Amino acid sequence: MLPLPLANVDEDYTIKKISGSPDVKKHLENLGFVVGGNVKIVAYVDGNLIVNAKEARIAINKELAMRVMV
């Protein structure tokens, strides 16, 4: 298990855990990051990530992405 920002670009991963406060977890869930869901990093931009989650392309900052374990 590793944090999302340490994952490889263009590889499919399954979300195994989401950490943080209930508000952070809810925010990530609203963006499409749910345990058991698939995620793929499309690109890194200035330390932030662009990912595909739930068939949508999402930009997420590194701090928030560190809460997502794959």
Side-chain angles (χ1 to χ4, degrees):
M1 199 162 45
L2 67 150
L4 187 58
L6 300 181
N8 296 324
V9 175
D10 286 334
E11 285 190 30
D12 291 318
Y13 292 93
T14 301
I15 298 171
K16 298 188 183 289
K17 180 181 175 184
I18 297 175
S19 62
S21 70
D23 289 340
V24 169
K25 289 180 180 180
K26 183 66 175 168
H27 178 65
L28 287 167
E29 182 181 319
N30 289 339
L31 290 174
F33 295 93
V34 293
V35 174
N38 293 327
V39 65
K40 179 193 277 189
I41 298 174
V42 175
Y44 289 101
V45 180
D46 294 329
N48 301 314
L49 289 81
I50 299 174
V51 300
N52 281 339
K54 282 197 170 181
E55 300 180 22
R57 190 170 278 194
I58 302 163
I60 185 171
N61 69 27
K62 186 177 181 180
E63 181 181 328
L64 205 52
M66 289 295 288
R67 304 283 185 194
V68 180
M69 303 298 283
V70 294

